[in-house]
Amino acid sequence: MRVKVEPLLAETFAGFGSVVAVPSSANSGATANQATATKYANVSLLGETYPRASPASKSASSDHIHPQMSLFVCNPRQLVSILPANSNSKAFQLHILERHPYTSQTFLPLGLSPNDQEAAYVVIVAPALKTNPDIPDVQRVRAFLARGNQGVTYGVGVWHSPMVVIGSKPITFAVLQWVNGVAKDECTECEMIDGEMHGPLDKEGVLIEFDVRDRVFAKL
């Protein structure tokens, strides 16, 4: 199954989370910083839904819920050529999806120009199966190409790929999420097995397809 990359837009990504970017409306900001800045509040929906312990259970995990900011230095992923041989496309082969069952997760690229032609990143998401929220519906995978002036927040429990950077250099991200010190609460994974997570897929598995004629891929 091949999935074409589409631009990262707030309206098309809304079912999976929010895009972190300066709003297009000039009236949405407020003067701040001694009138030397424009402040845009609530640009992304953040939150957590970790279970709280009842007084009887005295669960240690609920006592340790806190926001955590990390830095991820993400190296470029390997792209593969796809048939036909004269195609203008290359692809990233999707091997795994993950979710954070009780927390949103925000990625903010650092030092990346909106017009950078050496590196970009791709946001890959999937809804959960309607019959089982613990399994991603890979037949409905979507992929979004982000610009350097965009961050992204995955909503609580949204299935997504680990970060995919493409190009010739790493990208550093500031990453914000809530944690409670319990690994299974903080992240669960669903791996591809012989190119298949759920339902029939062809032998290619899931390929995220890029058009190398796009300016973003000029130096790939």
Side-chain angles (χ1 to χ4, degrees):
M1 185 179 79
R2 298 185 182 184
V3 178
K4 289 188 177 296
V5 172
E6 54 189 294
L8 180 62
L9 303 174
E11 54 269 27
T12 52
F13 189 71
F16 304 102
S18 52
V19 177
V20 185
V22 174
S24 57
S25 172
N27 298 323
S28 58
T31 300
N33 203 55
Q34 296 182 306
T36 62
T38 302
K39 174 184 176 180
Y40 300 94
N42 300 317
V43 294
S44 186
L45 182 62
L46 311 177
E48 54 85 13
T49 59
Y50 281 104
R52 264 52 180 184
S54 66
S57 68
K58 297 182 179 180
S59 170
S61 63
S62 65
D63 296 333
H64 294 84
I65 299 167
H66 63 277
Q68 176 177 278
M69 179 169 282
S70 307
L71 289 178
F72 284 34
V73 181
C74 298
N75 294 311
R77 300 296 193 102
Q78 182 177 357
L79 302 183
V80 298
S81 298
I82 56 178
L83 297 176
N86 62 350
S87 169
N88 291 307
S89 297
K90 287 191 175 181
F92 168 74
Q93 191 160 35
L94 183 64
H95 292 288
I96 191 170
L97 290 172
E98 66 181 27
R99 66 172 180 169
H100 309 286
Y102 302 112
T103 177
S104 60
Q105 186 184 46
T106 299
F107 279 80
L108 301 173
L110 304 179
L112 186 65
S113 165
N115 300 312
D116 201 308
Q117 293 189 8
E118 294 184 291
Y121 71 100
V122 182
V123 177
I124 303 170
V125 291
L129 281 174
K130 293 180 180 179
T131 55
N132 186 348
D134 293 329
I135 299 176
D137 185 351
V138 295
Q139 300 290 343
R140 298 167 64 198
V141 166
R142 296 181 69 178
F144 301 88
L145 181 65
R147 302 191 306 272
N149 61 348
Q150 294 176 305
V152 65
T153 295
Y154 300 110
V156 175
V158 168
W159 287 103
H160 61 277
S161 169
M163 181 52 68
V164 175
V165 167
I166 55 175
S168 59
K169 66 180 183 181
I171 298 177
T172 300
F173 295 88
V175 180
L176 175 64
Q177 66 188 86
W178 275 258
V179 297
N180 71 345
V182 180
K184 67 179 179 63
D185 286 350
E186 293 177 8
C187 184
T188 58
E189 297 179 341
C190 188
E191 295 187 22
M192 303 283 284
I193 300 174
D194 296 328
E196 194 167 348
M197 285 186 187
H198 177 82
L201 294 173
D202 58 35
K203 63 183 180 180
E204 287 183 330
V206 178
L207 295 177
I208 309 302
E209 187 175 356
F210 307 94
D211 187 336
V212 296
R213 294 170 296 181
D214 191 292
R215 64 169 180 80
V216 173
F217 307 105
K219 296 185 180 181
L220 299 188

